[in-house]
Amino acid sequence: MNEVTETRRVAAPPESVRDAMADVEAFVESAGFDHVEVDGETIRVANQVGLAEIELELVAVEREGADVAHEQREGIFEAMWTTYTVEPRAGGDESDVTAHTEFALDVPLVGDVLDATVIQRQRRKELNAQLDWLEAEA
């Protein structure tokens, strides 16, 4: 499995951060995807990465220790999930938000066009964009 983790201190209490993440469509859109569609617990995203267009169908899931978690149901990965955790800082007026993605490439589908390094770079950009949005929203 490949991993990407980004952590950011947000100048807002945990409940404000969690409330911002509850707006699923806005939160997912903040990653900078070319297309986002939310239908209940199902999230469809599409993004151009280099020469490839990646389309994923994600589903909101429960993961131990995570405030928010999405897992790929359909897409180019053998497996892929992202968790977001919000931890209070001393005093409760700030939060540490950690976004963590794990993925395994389905090599026969991806192979020559995308490799783990390209996916990690793109995912790091997306997670940082979401953390920027949380800083502004919360």
Side-chain angles (χ1 to χ4, degrees):
M1 293 294 278
N2 298 281
E3 298 181 32
V4 177
T5 302
E6 292 294 324
T7 300
R8 178 91 48 95
R9 182 167 298 159
V10 175
E15 284 312 308
S16 294
V17 175
R18 290 181 187 109
D19 287 347
M21 290 190 306
D23 183 348
V24 176
E25 189 162 357
F27 182 52
V28 173
E29 282 179 347
S30 72
F33 295 113
D34 297 329
H35 174 78
V36 174
E37 179 185 331
V38 177
D39 183 12
E41 298 294 310
T42 302
I43 304 162
R44 291 176 190 81
V45 297
N47 210 20
Q48 191 73 32
V49 180
L51 299 174
E53 181 173 46
I54 297 176
E55 294 182 12
L56 302 175
E57 183 174 293
L58 310 169
V59 63
V61 296
E62 296 286 327
R63 284 211 180 241
E64 187 174 335
D67 291 284
V68 173
H70 301 133
E71 188 172 288
Q72 175 191 271
R73 185 171 18 201
E74 291 181 30
I76 67 164
F77 299 102
E78 183 178 324
M80 189 278 263
W81 61 86
T82 300
T83 58
Y84 302 88
T85 57
V86 182
E87 296 292 329
R89 298 284 303 162
D93 292 338
E94 293 184 324
S95 306
D96 285 335
V97 181
T98 300
H100 177 79
T101 297
E102 291 189 36
F103 66 93
L105 293 172
D106 192 351
V107 178
L109 289 177
V110 181
D112 298 331
V113 180
L114 296 173
D115 66 10
T117 303
V118 172
I119 298 294
Q120 286 173 315
R121 186 178 317 117
Q122 179 65 29
R123 191 62 185 139
R124 189 169 312 284
K125 178 181 166 187
E126 293 163 356
L127 294 177
N128 276 304
Q130 286 183 303
L131 294 172
D132 290 345
W133 182 83
L134 283 174
E135 278 187 310
E137 285 296 307

